[in-house]
C-alpha cells in the first residue's frame, strides 16, 4: 500500500508545517492531484483519507467517475477548463479551482443556473505574470468578483495559484507570500456571493513552503501517486 503510506507521510508533513504557522492539521485541505493516474490508484488515495481528488481534464473526470474512482470524496477541477467543456464539469465537481477568465466565469454561472445550482469556484491568479500560464493578473480580480456578486449561479470561495517554479531565490516563497497578501486584501472586500476562505497553493515539491505562507489547500500529485508517465 505505497499510496496509503505516501498519504500518511504527506499528512504528517502538512501537520508539521501547519503547526509552525499556528494552525492544526484539519485547517489544511489535502487534494490528491490525480491526473494520469488510474481509477484504482485514485480509490486507494480516497481510502487513505485524502480530503478531495483533483482532476485536470473533463475527459479523465468522466472516465474515472464511471469507474467509481471518487466514491467517498469530493472532486475538484484543477486544470485549464475550456468553455466548451463546462457542461461536463459544473455540478459534477464540488469546487472548480481554476476559473481563469471572466468568460469562463460567465459560462460556469450560466450552466449552474441552468442546473438550478450554485457552483463553488476559486479564481486562479497568475501571480508570476507568466505568459505561459493561465490565470488572471492580480489587477484583474475585481471585475470578476464584481460579476460574481450579481450571479445566483456562483459562489467564489477563494483563490488558487501555481507560482513560477524557479523563483529568484530558488523557492516559490516570494510568490506564496504575495498570494497570501492578495488573499487577505480580497478577503477584506465585501462582495455578495464571495466568501474568501480558501487559498489553494502548494504542490508536491512546495506544499510545506506554501503552508508556511498561509495556504490552506494543497494539491499534491507525485508525492502521493509517484511519478507520472
Ligand atoms: C499536477 C498538478 C498538481 C500536482 O503536482 P505535483 O507536482 O505532482 O504534486 C497540482 N496542481 C495542478 C493544477 C496540477 O496540474
Amino acid at each position: 500500500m505505497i499510496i496509503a503510506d505516501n498519504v500518511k507521510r504527506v499528512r504528517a508533513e502538512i501537520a508539521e508545517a501547519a503547526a509552525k504557522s499556528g494552525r492544526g492539521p484539519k485547517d489544511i485541505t489535502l487534494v490528491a492531484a490525480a491526473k494520469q493516474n488510474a481509477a484504482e490508484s485514485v480509490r486507494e488515495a480516497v481510502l487513505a483519507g485524502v480530503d478531495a481528488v483533483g482532476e485536470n481534464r473533463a475527459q479523465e473526470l468522466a472516465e474515472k467517475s464511471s469507474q467509481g474512482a471518487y466514491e467517498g470524496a469530493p472532486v475538484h477541477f484543477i486544470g485549464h477548463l475550456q468553455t466548451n467543456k463546462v457542461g461536463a464539469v459544473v455540478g459534477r465537481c464540488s469546487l472548480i479551482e481554476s476559473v481563469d477568465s471572466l468568460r469562463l466565469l460567465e459560462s460556469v454561472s450560466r450552466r449552474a443556473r441552468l442546473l438550478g445550482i450554485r457552483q463553488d469556484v476559486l479564481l486562479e491568479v497568475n501571480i508570476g505574470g507568466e505568459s505561459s500560464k493561465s490565470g488572471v493578473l492580480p489587477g484583474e480580480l475585481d471585475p470578476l468578483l464584481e460579476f460574481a456578486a450579481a450571479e445566483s449561479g456562483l459562489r467564489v470561495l477563494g483563490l488558487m495559484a501555481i507560482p513560477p517554479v524557479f523563483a529568484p531565490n530558488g523557492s516559490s516563497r516570494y510568490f506564496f507570500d504575495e498570494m497570501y497578501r492578495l488573499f487577505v486584501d480580497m478577503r477584506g472586500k465585501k462582495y455578495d456571493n464571495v466568501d474568501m476562505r480558501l487559498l489553494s497553493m502548494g504542490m508536491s515539491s512546495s506544499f510545506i513552503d506554501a503552508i508556511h505562507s498561509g495556504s490552506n489547500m494543497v494539491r499534491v500529485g507525485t508525492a502521493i501517486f509517484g511519478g507520472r508517465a
Side-chain angles (χ1 to χ4, degrees):
M1 293 303 277
I2 290 172
I3 289 175
D5 290 343
N6 287 346
V7 169
K8 211 167 160 187
R9 194 191 59 250
V10 168
R11 280 282 190 206
E13 290 172 358
I14 287 174
E16 194 182 331
K20 281 200 180 122
S21 59
R23 292 175 293 168
K26 296 223 167 67
D27 296 326
I28 316 290
T29 300
L30 173 58
V31 182
K35 60 174 176 279
Q36 295 170 33
N37 283 286
E40 200 180 325
S41 303
V42 176
R43 206 152 32 224
E44 269 188 61
V46 171
L47 288 173
V50 298
D51 299 306
V53 178
E55 288 290 0
N56 289 65
R57 294 178 61 240
Q59 176 81 24
E60 264 190 77
L61 171 71
E63 277 169 20
K64 286 182 227 173
S65 183
S66 68
Q67 293 163 344
Y70 312 121
E71 275 161 34
V75 184
H76 295 183
F77 197 83
I78 63 175
H80 177 62
L81 180 58
Q82 289 162 305
T83 47
N84 63 354
K85 298 280 169 57
V86 156
V89 172
V90 172
R92 299 194 178 181
C93 292
S94 64
L95 183 66
I96 302 175
E97 296 198 24
S98 44
V99 173
D100 56 8
S101 70
L102 182 57
R103 203 166 87 90
L104 179 59
L105 193 65
E106 286 167 353
S107 181
V108 166
S109 181
R110 200 176 310 123
R111 178 72 194 172
R113 271 188 279 112
L114 219 72
L115 296 175
I117 61 163
R118 198 183 275 276
Q119 176 69 55
D120 288 342
V121 304
L122 305 183
L123 303 179
E124 181 175 352
V125 179
N126 185 354
I127 192 67
E130 299 170 284
S131 57
S132 61
K133 287 223 178 108
S134 322
V136 299
L137 297 173
E140 297 169 342
L141 271 177
D142 277 299
L144 273 71
L145 295 171
E146 273 161 29
F147 172 79
E151 291 294 297
S152 59
L154 289 174
R155 195 167 55 151
V156 178
L157 292 186
L159 305 178
M160 184 271 241
I162 308 171
V165 180
F166 298 108
N169 63 353
S171 88
S172 295
R173 205 52 212 275
Y174 170 82
F175 292 105
F176 288 145
D177 287 345
E178 284 290 294
M179 269 310 292
Y180 185 71
R181 264 193 287 279
L182 185 62
F183 174 68
V184 170
D185 188 25
M186 292 296 144
R187 197 170 56 189
K189 302 183 178 183
K190 295 283 172 255
Y191 288 107
D192 287 342
N193 299 328
V194 175
D195 180 7
M196 277 285 160
R197 53 184 152 97
L198 300 175
L199 179 57
S200 175
M201 57 184 193
M203 320 202 305
S204 291
S205 60
S206 61
F207 69 86
I208 293 170
D209 276 347
I211 291 168
H212 288 158
S213 293
S215 166
N216 57 21
M217 180 171 279
V218 295
R219 309 173 310 270
V220 179
T222 48
I224 289 176
F225 296 107
R228 290 179 290 269

